[in-house]
Amino acid sequence: NSLEAYDVAEKARELLFPPTDAIRLQSALNLFKQAIVLDESYFGGYAGAAQVLAFMEFFKPKKV
């Protein structure tokens, strides 16, 4: 499962840019979560999910 988790996380990383595309970010987050389910000990799923959540927060529309 480690190799499968790695592969899924790599696919998710391909979706990270541009980080202003909310649909791509949500898709990447879903894949990173899948990587975590596949192998809870693989850091890539957690790190990727954290990066996506940071992008989502940074690029969300500002309230005026």
Side-chain angles (χ1 to χ4, degrees), residues 2-57:
S2 293
L3 182 57
E4 190 174 2
Y6 173 83
D7 287 342
V8 169
E10 284 300 305
K11 294 286 185 208
R13 282 185 194 89
E14 294 173 10
L15 296 174
L16 287 180
F17 296 96
T20 54
D21 186 336
I23 294 171
R24 289 175 69 94
L25 288 179
Q26 186 59 55
S27 297
L29 182 58
N30 291 340
L31 286 172
F32 284 125
K33 287 180 178 181
Q34 182 181 352
I36 292 168
V37 169
L38 289 169
D39 185 353
E40 293 178 352
S41 67
Y42 174 58
F43 72 92
Y46 299 101
Q51 184 176 15
V52 170
L53 292 171
F55 280 155
M56 286 177 160
E57 184 63 26

